Amino acid sequence: MRIGFVFLVVLAALLFYSFMDIAATASPHQVIEKQTLPMDVPFERIQARAAVNSIREAMQMQTLSQNEQLNAAAQAHADYLVLNHESSHDEIEGHRGFTGIRPLDRAFYAGYNAAYVSENLSTKNANAQSSVDGLFSAIYHRFGFLSPSIDEMGVGVTQDQQNSRNSAFVYVMGNSELNRLCSVKSFSGFGKYVYKVCREKEHRIAEKKFRKVQTYNKQNNPKITLYPYDGQNEVPPAFYSEIPDPLPEYEVSGFPISIEFNDYFFKDVQINSFKLFKDSEEVSNVLLMDKQTDPNMKFTDKQFALFPLERLEYDTRYHVIVDYKTKGKSEEIMWEFMTRKPTETLHIITKKEEEISIAVGRSHLIYFRPLDAHDVVKNVQFPGSADIEFIDNNTFKLTLNDENIKSFDIVSDSRILHVKVDSR
């Protein structure tokens, strides 16, 4: 299954010299699935970093450099999660592998000096790409990865050798210049200074240097970031859930489209309209979320997301038009993206009970189009001879290699699929 449990700790608010951990998770529904294959952990660690940086680079953002202390903090927590079969940002003192209760504590333990870290994590993923895909589909996690304030990241990956489903990917991000200022001699001259922003709480940084640190990365990142980005392909068509959940009334909806205005360049922004089009037809069943309408109050006043309330279609081009107002002037930005294109034969199931035909030895993608906002595939039953790999909570890849089977049923809590087998 490609959707794992994902978590987020948002960036600390340096302006107020205080730090807040906010956990979030995406939770898949219980399904029956084949055993996950063992990972090449060093390779997946490299791939996880590359996947995040590939997205930032495609958006013309600064890529995130490697920091050994953040690597150590991330790896220690990944080890802890797998050792203790946990899925949380917080560690429990006395449990195996404990290095600190909060992400900030663990970064300090690993030798990182700046009190400015954020953490994303996912568990029960089969590989790095599924981890990153899941985190970017969750809006709060996405904004964490795409922050214009960060410029370095540590990655940790662990998988239980006895139970390959027990895996963890941890990403710890920070600001390299603040870490450098926290690593040099404390400010002792005349003038204003800040403190309680470093591992050593009494370490002082001249206020002018601190203000520069807050804006340096922002001014070297784009004025506006869009996701999915312009020209992006293979965009997943669905969003399911997070904790806290931005769409608590929906178990399944469309992939959210987001725009963030860099507050180094924008002091005030107002969205006049945010529209999504499939071909030339506007997608009308949508919800626009901003700081005022975000039910969990995580958005800033520069972050906006459009949630299609129905899943997007596979292999379809969508385009977006945002009309916004800043400094009393209206501006328009347009971009487009393509949803994921199946490489297998696609079967779209639109009824509660339906029948399809498949060929032996060939992979088929079975997509149960949701009948309502709560229609996800739960508690699936199928023959042991059928090889099923879940792509998301409404889609799986089906392969049958047994020529002796002529027909069988796939049954879930809400749907029945009668499958006839063509052995020719």
Side-chain angles (χ1 to χ4, degrees):
M1 184 176 179
R2 297 187 182 178
I3 293 183
F5 294 90
V6 297
F7 295 79
L8 166 71
V9 171
V10 300
L11 296 177
L14 277 177
L15 182 61
F16 301 103
Y17 320 135
S18 62
F19 304 89
M20 176 170 55
D21 292 344
I22 302 174
T25 175
S27 51
H29 294 276
Q30 183 64 38
V31 294
I32 302 170
E33 59 181 297
K34 66 180 182 179
Q35 180 68 19
T36 303
L37 295 174
M39 287 190 287
D40 180 343
V41 170
F43 174 77
E44 295 300 336
R45 188 180 297 116
I46 293 170
Q47 290 298 103
R49 180 185 303 280
V52 173
N53 274 333
S54 176
I55 291 172
R56 285 182 63 103
E57 186 174 23
M59 300 171 69
Q60 299 182 327
M61 300 187 75
Q62 287 177 308
T63 55
L64 305 178
S65 62
Q66 189 165 190
N67 177 282
E68 291 306 319
Q69 288 77 36
L70 295 181
N71 275 340
Q75 188 59 52
H77 191 49
D79 293 343
Y80 170 92
L81 295 174
V82 169
L83 279 170
N84 296 287
H85 298 271
E86 295 179 16
S87 297
S88 173
H89 289 295
D90 291 345
E91 294 186 1
I92 300 173
E93 194 166 359
H95 283 199
R96 292 181 297 172
F98 174 84
T99 58
I101 295 174
R102 302 171 300 163
L104 187 63
D105 301 324
R106 297 190 292 272
F108 287 166
Y109 181 86
Y112 197 70
N113 286 310
Y116 180 65
V117 295
S118 61
E119 180 180 272
N120 277 0
L121 71 83
S122 66
T123 61
K124 303 185 186 302
N125 288 109
N127 52 52
Q129 193 60 56
S130 67
S131 170
V132 172
D133 283 348
L135 289 163
F136 269 91
S137 72
I139 194 65
Y140 302 128
H141 306 75
R142 179 193 302 177
F143 283 138
F145 270 140
L146 298 181
S147 168
S149 300
I150 59 175
D151 64 357
E152 59 184 353
M153 177 175 69
V155 179
V157 181
T158 305
Q159 184 181 47
D160 190 334
Q161 293 184 350
Q162 278 69 50
N163 176 14
S164 59
R165 278 284 292 157
N166 182 20
S167 66
F169 287 77
V170 179
Y171 311 79
V172 183
M173 295 155 282
N175 182 303
S176 63
E177 183 61 15
L178 179 59
N179 190 51
R180 186 190 68 80
L181 290 176
C182 288
S183 304
V184 299
K185 186 178 179 180
S186 179
F187 173 77
S188 59
F190 294 100
K192 295 180 179 180
Y193 60 86
V194 298
Y195 64 108
K196 295 185 179 180
V197 295
C198 301
R199 178 169 56 161
E200 299 297 331
K201 292 184 179 179
E202 299 306 313
H203 188 98
R204 300 175 180 181
I205 298 175
E207 185 183 36
K208 286 184 178 180
K209 289 186 177 181
F210 181 72
R211 299 300 177 193
K212 186 176 180 180
V213 163
Q214 288 185 292
T215 61
Y216 179 78
N217 288 328
K218 291 179 181 180
Q219 65 184 309
N220 287 288
N221 273 304
K223 295 180 179 181
I224 301 174
T225 53
L226 314 168
Y227 199 86
Y229 56 81
D230 188 25
Q232 185 172 349
N233 295 314
E234 296 297 309
V235 174
F239 165 71
Y240 288 96
S241 63
E242 285 182 90
I243 298 174
D245 196 338
L247 291 179
E249 301 301 318
Y250 289 78
E251 291 186 70
V252 55
S253 59
F255 192 83
I257 298 98
S258 63
I259 183 168
E260 179 170 2
F261 296 86
N262 187 330
D263 64 11
Y264 178 81
F265 301 100
F266 293 88
K267 302 307 176 188
D268 64 291
V269 178
Q270 176 184 326
I271 295 293
N272 297 325
S273 65
F274 195 147
K275 296 182 179 181
L276 175 67
F277 295 85
K278 175 187 172 185
D279 298 323
S280 59
E281 182 180 353
E282 182 178 355
V283 178
S284 58
N285 190 16
V286 296
L287 174 67
L288 177 60
M289 191 170 293
D290 58 19
K291 183 179 181 179
Q292 283 69 45
T293 59
D294 172 16
N296 302 297
M297 298 181 290
K298 309 296 185 226
F299 280 43
T300 72
D301 62 353
K302 304 299 187 300
Q303 295 172 337
F304 304 86
L306 189 74
F307 285 85
L309 297 180
E310 297 177 3
R311 277 183 60 129
L312 303 183
E313 297 295 332
Y314 281 108
D315 192 22
T316 301
R317 185 177 303 278
Y318 290 86
H319 68 273
V320 188
I321 303 177
V322 174
D323 185 277
Y324 65 94
K325 187 176 183 179
T326 183
K327 296 181 180 179
K329 182 180 179 182
S330 291
E331 303 281 353
E332 186 177 84
I333 185 168
M334 303 174 59
W335 74 100
E336 62 180 31
F337 61 89
M338 282 285 298
T339 52
R340 186 162 289 160
K341 181 178 181 178
T343 56
E344 305 82 7
T345 301
L346 175 64
H347 302 265
I348 302 176
I349 312 304
T350 61
K351 302 175 183 177
K352 283 193 172 184
E353 187 169 357
E354 202 162 323
E355 180 180 295
I356 64 169
S357 295
I358 67 169
V360 171
R362 182 183 301 172
S363 291
H364 297 257
L365 203 67
I366 313 298
Y367 165 43
F368 292 87
R369 179 178 286 161
L371 302 177
D372 56 45
H374 304 284
D375 186 23
V376 295
V377 177
K378 306 177 187 176
N379 302 317
V380 184
Q381 301 175 41
F382 54 87
S385 55
D387 183 358
I388 286 182
E389 175 188 353
F390 278 81
I391 307 303
D392 60 40
N393 290 342
N394 287 88
T395 312
F396 56 77
K397 183 168 67 173
L398 168 66
T399 308
L400 183 71
N401 293 312
D402 190 342
E403 295 184 354
N404 296 316
I405 295 180
K406 303 303 179 185
S407 66
F408 61 92
D409 290 341
I410 296 175
V411 181
S412 73
D413 282 358
S414 60
R415 310 286 278 268
I416 299 174
L417 182 64
H418 305 290
V419 181
K420 289 188 175 181
V421 181
D422 184 354
S423 59
R424 292 177 296 174

